[in-house]
Amino acid sequence: VKVMQLRGETSEIWKEALVAVTSGSDIIMIDTGRKEDITAVSKKLKDYEVRDSVKLAFGGDLSL
Protein backbone atom coordinates (compact mmCIF):
# COMPACT_ATOMS: atom_id res chain seq x y z
CA VAL A 1 0.00 0.00 0.00
CA LYS A 2 1.39 3.36 -1.03
CA VAL A 3 0.31 6.39 1.03
CA MET A 4 1.02 10.03 0.12
CA GLN A 5 0.63 12.94 2.51
CA LEU A 6 -0.25 16.19 0.73
CA ARG A 7 -0.18 19.76 1.96
CA GLY A 8 -0.49 21.80 -1.22
CA GLU A 9 3.03 23.16 -0.85
CA THR A 10 4.27 22.65 -4.42
CA SER A 11 1.04 23.37 -6.33
CA GLU A 12 -2.72 23.34 -5.85
CA ILE A 13 -3.73 20.45 -3.58
CA TRP A 14 -5.82 18.75 -6.28
CA LYS A 15 -2.84 18.81 -8.67
CA GLU A 16 -0.64 17.17 -6.04
CA ALA A 17 -3.37 14.55 -5.56
CA LEU A 18 -3.57 13.83 -9.28
CA VAL A 19 0.19 13.31 -9.41
CA ALA A 20 -0.02 11.04 -6.37
CA VAL A 21 -2.74 8.89 -7.96
CA THR A 22 -0.97 8.63 -11.31
CA SER A 23 2.20 7.68 -9.42
CA GLY A 24 0.45 4.69 -7.87
CA SER A 25 -0.78 5.94 -4.50
CA ASP A 26 -3.51 3.89 -2.87
CA ILE A 27 -4.30 6.38 -0.10
CA ILE A 28 -3.99 10.17 -0.18
CA MET A 29 -3.76 11.97 3.15
CA ILE A 30 -4.87 15.59 2.76
CA ASP A 31 -3.10 17.29 5.63
CA THR A 32 -4.14 20.92 5.27
CA GLY A 33 -6.95 21.13 7.82
CA ARG A 34 -9.11 22.91 5.23
CA LYS A 35 -12.41 21.15 4.51
CA GLU A 36 -12.65 22.70 1.05
CA ASP A 37 -9.45 20.88 0.03
CA ILE A 38 -10.95 17.41 0.42
CA THR A 39 -13.96 18.52 -1.64
CA ALA A 40 -11.75 19.96 -4.38
CA VAL A 41 -9.53 16.87 -4.49
CA SER A 42 -12.47 14.46 -4.64
CA LYS A 43 -14.16 16.47 -7.41
CA LYS A 44 -11.04 16.78 -9.56
CA LEU A 45 -10.18 13.11 -9.18
CA LYS A 46 -13.73 12.28 -10.31
CA ASP A 47 -13.32 14.65 -13.27
CA TYR A 48 -10.16 12.76 -14.27
CA GLU A 49 -11.94 9.42 -13.66
CA VAL A 50 -9.42 8.19 -11.08
CA ARG A 51 -11.36 8.80 -7.84
CA ASP A 52 -12.43 5.15 -7.52
CA SER A 53 -8.81 3.97 -7.51
CA VAL A 54 -7.77 5.80 -4.33
CA LYS A 55 -8.94 6.34 -0.76
CA LEU A 56 -8.90 9.82 0.73
CA ALA A 57 -7.93 10.63 4.30
CA PHE A 58 -8.12 14.05 5.94
CA GLY A 59 -6.12 15.69 8.70
CA GLY A 60 -8.18 18.26 10.51
CA ASP A 61 -11.31 18.91 12.51
CA LEU A 62 -14.01 17.21 10.44
CA SER A 63 -17.37 15.92 11.61
CA LEU A 64 -19.77 13.80 9.61
Side-chain angles (χ1 to χ4, degrees):
V1 175
K2 188 175 185 179
V3 180
M4 295 290 289
Q5 179 182 16
L6 307 179
R7 294 188 181 126
E9 294 176 352
T10 61
S11 65
E12 294 177 71
I13 192 79
W14 69 265
K15 288 181 182 177
E16 287 185 357
L18 188 58
V19 170
V21 172
T22 58
S23 297
S25 292
D26 301 299
I27 301 171
I28 296 174
M29 171 63 176
I30 301 169
D31 194 18
T32 62
R34 295 180 8 205
K35 295 175 187 176
E36 60 269 15
D37 288 341
I38 194 166
T39 302
V41 167
S42 183
K43 180 186 180 322
K44 286 293 186 175
L45 294 181
K46 284 179 186 175
D47 290 347
Y48 282 91
E49 299 180 354
V50 293
R51 174 61 183 92
D52 292 338
S53 66
V54 66
K55 292 183 181 192
L56 297 180
F58 182 76
D61 185 25
L62 184 63
S63 299
L64 294 177

